[in-house]
Amino acid sequence: MNNDETSSGKPVRHLLGLSGGKDSSALAIYLRDRVPEMEYFFADTGAELPETLEYIDMLEDYLGKRIVRLNPNRSFEYYLKLNGNFLPTVKTRWCTAELKIRPFEEYVGEDTAITYVGIRADEPRRMGYLSTKSNISARYPFIEDGIGKQDVIDILESAGLGLPQYYEWRNRSGCYFCFFQQKEEWLGLAERHPDLFEKAKSYEQFHKDAGRSQTWSQGEYLEDLVARADEIREKAKERKENKKKAANKKLIDKFSQENNDEEDDGCLICTL
């Protein structure tokens, strides 16, 4: 028996989940020739940004291998109804469980599998894996090989793909209404995809009409968020300026600042 074979003689499956984010995409490129038997998959929530779907198509062309789309028949709307129309929140992330983890584990079944995770060497705080099934183990090639953020960008640039377009206004992949979005990112959605922004507002309106106060952005309705757009943008500008100033601090202070980067928030399986 070798490393790619179980005691039953059945091959070990090598799997890499793509979110449409920079890290998992770069990892797929990085491992394309290193692990030729790799299976690629993308858990489509039915609430993806158009830029994400376009990038997945581009990546599929580059890899020269099919990226399996999970959730072909059960989207966010399906599970929203199953959860009594209550929106997912930071504390109740049923969207991640139902639309990312469950489809992946069903795809693996009882096979022995190694899943390759795109956590970088410069972000040890994100170490972890979301599946608890004993037949699924995880590897972190970027950590093993010392690959950091700039390396990831270089990998994408060298492949001719570059960063997904949503990085022009957003720090993460994931659903267009992700509750981990910063307020300035919601403004970006309103500007780039007003139709999706209005749809996100409609979910809040449903709760309003039902006498509930649930919102996507913590403590604030999206319509109120837009009304104070100038204030939000000014605060975002101040944060960026403070981050630049932090580069002049001693190394330990700089390290602390970098590890509180907003892009590190959210569910790993959604945003890598």
Side-chain angles (χ1 to χ4, degrees), residues 30 119-122 140-149 151-152:
Y30 185 71
I119 299 176
R120 305 187 310 267
D122 57 0
Y140 306 87
F142 284 163
I143 293 177
E144 294 170 10
D145 296 345
I147 301 296
K149 184 174 182 178
D151 299 311
V152 162

Side-chain angles (χ1 to χ4, degrees), residues 171-196:
N171 284 327
R172 72 199 74 243
S173 55
C175 298
Y176 69 86
F177 47 62
C178 181
F179 41 82
F180 280 109
Q181 285 185 98
Q182 300 298 309
K183 293 183 185 296
E184 61 268 26
E185 293 176 325
W186 278 110
L187 295 178
L189 180 67
E191 293 173 353
R192 304 293 183 108
H193 299 289
D195 56 329
L196 296 180

Side-chain angles (χ1 to χ4, degrees), residues 4 12-19 24 27 31 35 38-41 70 100-101 104-105 107-108 111-119 127-142 144 268-269 272:
D4 291 323
V12 174
R13 295 174 67 185
H14 297 263
L15 306 170
L16 200 163
L18 297 159
S19 68
S24 63
L27 184 61
L31 296 179
V35 188
M38 188 75 78
E39 298 176 49
Y40 305 98
F41 67 92
L70 307 184
K100 297 289 184 177
I101 300 175
F104 167 62
E105 293 182 344
Y107 179 59
V108 175
D111 296 339
T112 300
I114 300 172
T115 180
Y116 294 79
V117 185
I119 299 176
M127 186 68 178
Y129 179 58
L130 292 171
S131 178
T132 58
K133 293 192 68 175
S134 61
N135 58 308
I136 302 174
S137 60
R139 284 194 61 183
Y140 306 87
F142 284 163
E144 294 170 10
L268 292 184
I269 201 167
L272 285 173

Side-chain angles (χ1 to χ4, degrees), residues 43 58 103 114 125 132 158 172 194-195 219 228 230 242 257-258:
M58 290 170 57
I114 300 172
R125 188 168 66 89
T132 58
S158 296
R172 72 199 74 243
D195 56 329
R228 61 183 194 89
D230 291 343
N242 289 336
Q257 179 75 15
E258 287 175 347

Side-chain angles (χ1 to χ4, degrees), residues 79-123:
Y79 287 106
L80 179 64
K81 291 178 181 177
L82 281 186
N83 283 276
N85 286 308
F86 280 92
L87 301 180
T89 67
V90 173
K91 293 183 178 180
T92 58
R93 306 181 196 182
W94 60 256
C95 51
T96 304
E98 300 291 358
L99 291 164
K100 297 289 184 177
I101 300 175
R102 184 193 297 274
F104 167 62
E105 293 182 344
E106 289 177 351
Y107 179 59
V108 175
E110 298 305 315
D111 296 339
T112 300
I114 300 172
T115 180
Y116 294 79
V117 185
I119 299 176
R120 305 187 310 267
D122 57 0
E123 50 177 5

